[in-house]
Amino acid sequence: MSADNRRRKAEHIRHLLDTEGDSVHENTRVFNEGRYESTAALDDYEALKDEARGIKEDAIERLPALIDEVTEAIEENGGTVYLADDAADANRYISEVVDGRNAVKSKSMTSEEIEVNEALEASGANVWETDLAEFVLQVADEAPSHIVAPAIHKSREEIAALFNEVFEPDEELETAEELTRFAREYLGEKILDAEVGMTGANFVTADTGTLALVTSEGNARKCVQATDTHIAVAGVEKVVPSVEDLQPFVELIGRSGTGQDITSYVSLFTPPGDSPTFGGGDEVGPGDDRELGPGDDRDFHLVLIDNGRMEMREDDQLRETLYCIRCSACANSCANFQHVGGHAFGGETYSGGIATGWEAGVHGQDSAAEFNDLCTGCSRCVNQCPVKIDIPWINTVVRDRINRGKDGDLDFLVEGLTPDEEPGGVDPQKRLFGNFDTLAKLGSAFAPLSNWVAQAGPARSVMERTLGVDSRRELPAFERESLVDWFEERGPRVGPDEARRRVALYPDTYTNYVRTERGKAAVRVLEALDVRVDIPAAGESGRAPLSQGMVATAQSNAEAVYDALAPAVAAGRDVVVIEPSDLAMFNREYERLLEEDSYEALDGNSYEIMEYVYGLLENGASIDALPDGDGEEVAYHSHCQQRTLGLEPHTVAVLEDAGFDVTTSDVECCGMAGSFGYKSEYYELSMDVGESLGDQFTTDDTADRTVVASGTSCLEQLDALLTRRPAHPVRLLDER
């Protein structure tokens, strides 16, 4: 990315932070709080998600047969099914059916994808969105910022100003009730005048041809029942085998998206319906000026759209995208989305974490490339997804493909000189951060001179201009003596005979070369609990290159790390990890990067440092071997991937058992996200996300507390946000 492009992106993000960020943040906060409360009330949330995923896996596997089945069911009932190859094909067919008549629509992201409104208007038809938020955006001529709440970025005051300017009501509209009443009356007339009603479909059942619409307003039912022709538009992935299969999705979709136990309307249509219509009748009296007409000849068309989906089905890496039920939980749970919304974190149609898969599949990689880097791979969305899609991996794979689609003029030279497995066209910024291990080795070898040079004004200016490393961010200072070197000279202090356990402490790059003090503290704490420690010379886990979409390099790193740790694992020793994002690599991403046996061996024997200390104490080790906290007040922030792995409680429990007075942050993301916070195009967003955490640790109750955090990124961000230097929690347990 050029310096000009970085500057333009930074300006765009800054503009959205100023104009839309507050509305998006407040609304996603409400959705998240509702989701946590609503899903907690389910008897077995995880089992329900497993059931839903199983249904989608089966449906996508059998999709061609299910399409044939649903076609037969609907046509036997008197309807028509049209399988559209792409957007142009779908729009041609829909325009022929509408034939210039007035049409009203309920909310449908698939219709947004194919831009059907524009096609119908070009053919002479009048089209009105009847979902309140979609109506607002139609009037404003804006694109949606969210797949469930399209106008999430607009405040009530902005909507009132828009309506007052465009419609010039007799009395100015102000309150939400006034705005809603006006829209209902205005759109009610449009619905009564319309001859064609268009809807989407959350699900289509193959056995009966039933359409399931899950909505928060009654407009979809009106669009169907008040018109002579019903056109339903849905991607082919919306087909599920049977009506019975709808149950887990009805339970999950509202809870996952907006935090509702069940949305206001769950409508099941098995079209064509035969209810009466308001099909252009004569006036019959005041207040009831339309004559009901018979509905038994209602025309129904289901337009099933491919538009790249069948190719996605054959793509092992993008296939999971088709399991998506469009609930928006991935967007709502994403810290970056919460601050800028879909006008930055989104492509031509879709927004949020899953948008990368959709945009790459239906619009192409160029659309996905515009926003893909806003996914930091934190994995918080994975636990929130009701069908357990590995959204970070999809983002990573697409990022890798985008990297490989760029050819450099000197590919042959670059590929021969760089210490990675990537082609020459990879953006220099990505290559720099993806090779942080090499950079750290060099920085350590030449420290402290390397630190002085890197922090000097001219060097910072060059790095910002050429590599996009923001000069406002303090760079890490490398230690001359690495943790591995320190331990090699020092050696273990617990003999094999008196050892309670034997472990290999994994020396992640940051601990090995930058924050060596936490590694030394981890060694001493484990030894105090009678654990014999070894530190093998294992390299970078692959997290750094993976975050840049450098999958081949990440795989090479993973294989090297496994080779270094395999002797300890084979000898029955545990692997203890200090950095949570590296443990997440061992537990999650290594399943895709290593052979199955290697992954399972490492996954089954790896633990986060505070988790491991907790386990030792639970199994007989004495807390008296560790320093007494003596009531010291601590403010603790857990790393996002540590929370995803469910490990935060272990740290809190150990610190409290040791006598510390612990308060925890409920902020889910610090905003740093590894290299993300160093990039000039994202610096303002990173700091904006971090403000909430900074605010929590500067209250009357927390301002004087010792600040601790588990992750490297969290420590770096807190260091920038606060005037007191934070530490890793293991350092509180170290006698020194």
Side-chain angles (χ1 to χ4, degrees), residues 6 9 38-39 52 86 128 212 219 266 298 305 317 344 393 441 447 481 485 520 535 545 702 724:
R6 288 194 180 94
K9 178 163 282 192
S38 182
T39 56
D86 52 28
W128 284 97
N219 58 305
V266 178
R298 178 181 279 108
I305 297 173
Q317 308 296 353
W393 181 256
K441 288 176 184 176
E481 182 183 54
D485 291 341
K520 296 173 184 177
I535 303 183
T702 59
R724 57 204 195 275

Side-chain angles (χ1 to χ4, degrees), residues 255-529:
R255 287 181 165 92
S256 299
T258 57
Q260 297 167 279
D261 290 348
I262 190 167
T263 48
S264 302
Y265 299 90
V266 178
S267 305
L268 301 181
F269 298 103
T270 306
D274 59 2
S275 61
T277 69
F278 291 96
D282 298 326
E283 294 186 4
V284 295
D288 188 15
D289 58 357
R290 303 299 197 287
E291 182 180 88
L292 289 175
D296 53 5
D297 61 348
R298 178 181 279 108
D299 195 16
F300 172 71
H301 299 261
L302 172 62
V303 182
L304 288 175
I305 297 173
D306 180 352
N307 204 34
R309 287 163 171 80
M310 298 308 278
E311 286 188 21
M312 293 166 69
R313 178 176 173 269
E314 298 302 318
D315 186 325
D316 289 342
Q317 308 296 353
L318 290 186
R319 184 186 181 100
E320 274 195 75
T321 306
L322 299 176
Y323 303 164
C324 171
I325 63 173
R326 310 273 179 85
C327 70
S328 78
C330 60
N332 297 336
S333 63
C334 172
N336 284 340
F337 185 94
Q338 291 167 9
H339 288 252
V340 294
H343 289 157
F345 203 148
E348 293 183 36
T349 305
Y350 299 102
S351 58
I354 196 64
T356 285
W358 280 119
E359 291 292 323
V362 305
H363 291 311
Q365 286 181 185
D366 287 346
S367 179
E370 290 298 314
F371 64 93
N372 173 260
D373 283 347
L374 282 165
C375 171
T376 63
C378 74
S379 77
R380 286 169 54 205
C381 57
V382 176
N383 287 3
Q384 309 306 327
C385 176
V387 283
K388 297 187 173 183
I389 300 173
D390 192 347
I391 296 169
W393 181 256
I394 293 172
N395 277 273
T396 299
V397 166
V398 173
R399 194 171 299 168
D400 180 78
R401 293 176 181 181
I402 293 167
N403 288 343
R404 293 179 180 280
K406 298 176 181 178
D407 296 323
D409 295 333
L410 299 173
D411 280 10
F412 70 94
L413 180 61
V414 173
E415 291 173 35
L417 293 176
T418 53
D420 56 49
E421 306 293 325
E422 309 303 318
V426 175
D427 186 282
Q429 183 193 70
K430 292 182 182 294
R431 197 181 291 275
L432 172 76
F433 288 118
N435 287 303
F436 180 70
D437 189 50
T438 299
L439 182 67
K441 288 176 184 176
L442 290 172
S444 176
F446 292 99
L449 177 62
S450 57
N451 297 323
W452 180 82
V453 171
Q455 296 290 358
R460 295 308 306 268
S461 178
V462 170
M463 283 190 283
E464 183 165 68
R465 189 169 59 253
T466 61
L467 298 170
V469 180
D470 200 283
S471 59
R472 291 164 290 186
R473 183 70 75 176
E474 184 178 352
L475 296 178
F478 300 109
E479 297 286 346
R480 182 60 178 265
E481 182 183 54
S482 72
L483 177 67
V484 170
D485 291 341
W486 170 82
F487 189 82
E488 184 176 322
E489 182 177 338
R490 171 189 182 271
R493 298 292 172 86
V494 176
D497 294 335
E498 64 264 26
R500 179 187 299 274
R501 302 286 295 179
R502 299 187 66 174
V503 306
L505 183 67
Y506 170 65
D508 65 89
T509 298
Y510 228 81
T511 301
N512 197 25
Y513 295 112
V514 181
R515 288 189 179 254
T516 57
E517 75 282 352
R518 69 184 182 190
K520 296 173 184 177
V523 170
R524 290 189 288 262
V525 168
L526 290 172
E527 289 178 340
L529 298 174

